[in-house]
Amino acid sequence: MLPRLKTRIALIAGTLVLLAVMLFAWFSQHPSAPEVPAAPQASEVRTLRLGLNIAADSALHAAALRFADQVGERSQGKIKVVVHPNQELGNDDQMLEMTRSGKLDLVLTPTAKLSSAIPAMQYADLPFYFSGRDELYAMLDGEPGDILLSKLNSIDLIGLAFWENGFKQFTANTPIRVPQDFARLRIRTMKSPIIADQFASLGAQPIPIDFHATYQALADGAVDGQENPLVAIVGMNFHKVQKHLTLSNHAYLGYVFSASKQVFASLPPDQREIIQRTARDLTVWEREETARRETEFIETIRAAGVTIHPLAPMERAQFSQALAPIADKFGFEVGYDLLAKTDELRFTAMPAVSTEAAKPAAEPLLIGLDVAIEEINQNGGLLGRPVRLIARDNASIPQRGEQNLAHFATLPNLLAVVGGMNTAVIMDELDDIHRLKIPYLIPWAAAQGLISHAHQPSFTFRVSLNDTFVAPYLLEHALKTGSRVTVLLDRSAWGRSNEAALKPLLEKLPVDTVKIEWLNAGDPGTAAKIQALTRDGTQAVVLASNPLESRAVVRAMAQQVNPLPIFAHWALTGGNFWDENQAELSKVDLRFVQSILMHETASNPNLQKFVKRYRERYRLATNAPIRSPVGSVQAFDLTHLLA
C-alpha cells in the first residue's frame, strides 16, 4: 500500500546484528613491560610466590595454576611458582605492600585496590563507558592498557597483564531495566567515589558496606540492591536474597597481574621474558574461563527463582547517556591522557563517515530483534538455551561489514547474522556469507540480488518486499497521476537493482514516458535537478534513494511553485523524516511503500500482539507511535522464523 507519511520514523544506519547463545570475545596482544636493569644468570631453581585474594576454585586461581605450570615448563624447571589463593599471605593491601617492598614476588590485585595509589586504575570502573567486552579488551590490551601498566612503576611494581573476575551486574528486589528504575533505591557499594557517584546520578542512595557484610544487609532489607560480578553474586549467595538480576556488564572487575620491581630486576633477562610472555599468553584463557563459568552461574541464579533481565541495546544506550558525564567529572583522576587515547582509538578504529548517515544505529531493527528474543527466552529459549543479541555498526561501509562478519564467524554458538538496510554492504558480504555458511537474515534491504544469486545452497533469507515488486508497483501508481514520470535512483547496487526491475516494463511503454536519473551521495546539485524536472514536463517522481538523499529531494521539491507527487521506496522511512521535514512534508505529496499499516492493528492479531509487547517492553503510552514499524516488525518475524 502507499500511505502518506504521518507517523514518526527513525534513521537506521547499516548495522550487523548477531544472535548468539553466548559470546566470548577477546584480544591477546598486550604492551611490553617496562625495561628493568639486567641481572646475572642464576643456576639454582628460583622459587617465586604468587598471591591472590580469591578462592581456590575460581577462574583466576585456575589460570594462576596454569601460569605456574607453564613458567616451570618454559624455564626448564629453573623457575618454580607457588600459588597462594584465598588471602593466604594477607589481604589485598598487605599483599600489595609486600610486593612493593620485594617480600612477595608476584601478585594479582583488583584494580579498585590499586586506585588509591594509582587513581587511573578506576578506568575500568567507569560505568557503561565501554560498548562491550570487545572494546574494553582492545583498550586494556592496547595503548590505554600500556599507559595504565606504566603507572605502576611509580609504586615499585612491574605490570604484566590484565586478568579479570568478570563484568559487574545489578541485583535488586525490583526490576532494573532503565536508569529511572534506580530512583530512591538504597544500593550497597564499595568505598569508591566513582561508584557512589554512579548510583547517585541515577537517583539511588549509595551506601558503602563491607563486601562480607553485604549478604546480611540485603537479607535484612538495609539495602535494596548491589552490583558485583556473577562469581561474587553466587559465591556470596546474594541471589538467595534478591529477586531480580540485570545482566548489564556495566563495569569491569579487573585484576592487575604484577611483579615486584625489586624481584623482577634480580631475574635473568630470559626468565623475565618467560614471566611476561606467559602472563600475557594466559590472558585470553583466563577471560574465556571466566565467561564460561558465568553461563553456569546464570543457570544457578535462575534455578533459585531469580528473574533475569538482559539489558537490551536501547536500554543500555539510555544508561550510557545518563552516566556519560562521570568520565568528564573524574577525568583528572582517571587521566585525560588515558581518556583521550581511548577516544582516539574509537575514532580511528573505523573509517570516517558522515555523522548524519551513522546517527541512530539501527534502532528499529534492534527493537524488533529484542522483542522477539525476549519472547523466545521467556518460553524457554532454543533447545533450553537462552538467545543473546549483540550489535556492531558497519557504518554503511562494505569493508567494515566484511570485518564484522569475519569477527562473528569466530564466535562460538553463532546462530545467525542479521543485516542492516544497506544493500551495498550485504552485496559485498555475499561471498563470505556463503563461504562461512552463516545464515544471514535480511529484514530491510530490498535488492533482488541479495537472495537471487549464484550461491547454492543460499544462506541469505529475507522477510521484506523486494525491488522486483516494489519498483514496478511505484511506477504503476506514478503513471496514474501523470503521463511523464522521472525515476530517481540511488547510484548504488540497490539503485541498479531497481533499474533492472523496471527495465521489462519500460520496454513496453512509449518512448519518453519514463526517464531514469541517478542521485549521488551528498550531491550538491539535487536542488537544481528537481527544479529541472518541474520545467521539463515531468508530472510525477518515483524515488528510490537513501534517507539523506531522499531528504534533499523532498526539501528541494517543497521549494517548487507546483511540487510534483513523489512515490517512494520505503528506504526513506529509515530516516528521521517526520522530525526533520515537517514543514516540507506539509507542501509535498509524498507516498511510500510499506508492508504493514499501523491503522490495521486492530484487525491483525499478530500485529496487535507485537505492538502490545513493544509498548510494554519500552514502557510507552498506549497511543505512543511505533517508530519505523516496518523494520521492527520484519526483524521480529525473521527472528521467530529462525527460532
Side-chain angles (χ1 to χ4, degrees), residues 221-241:
V223 289
D224 303 305
Q226 60 86 50
E227 63 165 12
N228 257 299
L230 293 170
V231 60
I233 291 170
V234 172
M236 299 299 290
N237 290 317
F238 296 159
H239 63 296
K240 295 183 179 180
V241 287

Side-chain angles (χ1 to χ4, degrees), residues 356 359 551 555 575-584:
E356 287 286 320
K359 216 166 9 181
R551 181 178 69 181
R555 291 184 174 182
N576 204 6
F577 256 72
W578 184 250
D579 287 343
E580 296 176 348
N581 302 289
Q582 291 190 49
E584 290 83 359

Side-chain angles (χ1 to χ4, degrees), residues 389-438:
L389 169 65
I390 307 296
R392 294 186 74 168
D393 187 9
N394 62 39
S396 299
I397 298 172
Q399 182 182 10
R400 184 66 181 271
E402 292 172 356
Q403 292 170 351
N404 287 347
L405 190 65
H407 169 76
F408 291 154
T410 68
L411 304 178
N413 302 309
L414 174 67
L415 295 181
V417 172
V418 182
M421 70 175 294
N422 195 293
T423 289
V425 173
I426 304 175
M427 289 292 286
D428 273 27
E429 295 169 345
L430 281 178
D431 288 344
D432 288 340
I433 290 167
H434 291 86
R435 176 178 57 81
L436 297 167
K437 299 183 178 180
I438 297 174

Side-chain angles (χ1 to χ4, degrees), residues 50-56 58 60 84-88 90-93 95 107-110 113 165 212 253 255:
L50 167 57
L52 61 154
N53 66 357
I54 203 160
S58 64
L60 270 168
H84 295 272
N86 207 26
Q87 297 188 348
E88 288 177 0
N91 62 31
D92 285 313
D93 292 332
M95 287 191 289
V107 68
L108 279 158
T109 311
K113 294 293 184 179
N165 206 21
H212 292 282
L253 190 52
Y255 273 66

Side-chain angles (χ1 to χ4, degrees), residues 298-590:
I298 289 173
E299 293 311 310
T300 298
I301 294 169
R302 194 190 309 277
V306 175
T307 302
I308 298 176
H309 308 282
L311 272 191
M314 298 309 298
E315 294 167 339
R316 184 177 180 84
Q318 292 182 54
F319 276 105
S320 296
Q321 183 176 4
L323 296 172
I326 289 182
D328 291 332
K329 184 175 181 179
F330 290 88
F332 283 107
E333 293 183 38
V334 174
Y336 282 109
D337 56 342
L338 199 59
L339 300 179
K341 177 57 66 176
T342 302
D343 287 340
E344 175 191 334
L345 293 174
R346 284 171 172 162
F347 179 78
T348 57
M350 56 187 293
V353 296
S354 164
T355 54
E356 287 286 320
K359 216 166 9 181
E363 177 185 293
L365 298 186
L366 291 174
I367 287 174
L369 292 162
D370 178 50
V371 173
I373 289 171
E374 182 183 56
E375 191 172 273
I376 290 166
N377 287 339
Q378 287 178 350
N379 291 326
L382 298 180
L383 303 179
R385 306 288 295 279
V387 180
R388 292 183 60 191
L389 169 65
I390 307 296
R392 294 186 74 168
D393 187 9
N394 62 39
S396 299
I397 298 172
Q399 182 182 10
R400 184 66 181 271
E402 292 172 356
Q403 292 170 351
N404 287 347
L405 190 65
H407 169 76
F408 291 154
T410 68
L411 304 178
N413 302 309
L414 174 67
L415 295 181
V417 172
V418 182
M421 70 175 294
N422 195 293
T423 289
V425 173
I426 304 175
M427 289 292 286
D428 273 27
E429 295 169 345
L430 281 178
D431 288 344
D432 288 340
I433 290 167
H434 291 86
R435 176 178 57 81
L436 297 167
K437 299 183 178 180
I438 297 174
Y440 195 105
L441 313 184
I442 307 171
W444 191 279
Q448 182 64 14
L450 298 180
I451 55 173
S452 296
H453 45 65
H455 298 284
Q456 294 299 327
S458 174
F459 279 81
T460 53
F461 305 90
R462 177 166 57 204
V463 173
S464 74
L465 299 173
N466 65 64
D467 296 332
T468 302
F469 304 110
V470 173
Y473 182 73
L474 291 172
L475 181 58
E476 176 187 345
H477 281 265
L479 287 170
K480 290 179 180 179
T481 65
S483 59
R484 296 192 65 186
V485 174
T486 295
V487 179
L488 297 177
L489 298 179
D490 191 71
R491 193 179 292 278
S492 66
W494 176 50
R496 292 190 293 274
S497 174
N498 279 275
E499 181 187 33
L502 288 173
K503 188 175 180 181
L505 189 57
L506 298 184
E507 290 174 349
K508 300 177 182 178
L509 294 173
V511 177
D512 295 333
T513 300
V514 179
K515 69 174 181 177
I516 293 178
E517 294 197 11
W518 298 89
L519 295 172
N520 297 313
D523 189 348
T526 300
K529 189 186 297 287
I530 295 302
Q531 191 170 25
L533 294 183
T534 61
R535 292 197 304 262
D536 71 3
T538 294
Q539 296 171 314
V541 172
V542 171
L543 177 64
S545 65
N546 66 55
L548 289 180
E549 272 49 67
S550 295
R551 181 178 69 181
V553 169
V554 169
R555 291 184 174 182
M557 191 65 76
Q559 299 300 315
Q560 306 309 309
V561 176
N562 296 304
L564 305 176
I566 300 174
F567 297 83
H569 201 290
W570 67 21
L572 61 80
T573 69
N576 204 6
F577 256 72
W578 184 250
D579 287 343
E580 296 176 348
N581 302 289
Q582 291 190 49
E584 290 83 359
L585 289 170
S586 67
K587 304 174 184 177
V588 177
D589 180 6
L590 173 65

Side-chain angles (χ1 to χ4, degrees), residues 245-274:
L245 166 71
T246 299
L247 296 175
S248 53
N249 290 330
H250 61 278
Y252 185 64
L253 190 52
Y255 273 66
V256 178
F257 197 159
S258 58
S260 166
K261 189 174 185 179
Q262 180 180 329
V263 171
F264 209 62
S266 71
L267 295 172
D270 63 325
Q271 293 186 7
R272 294 182 212 153
E273 194 276 334
I274 287 171

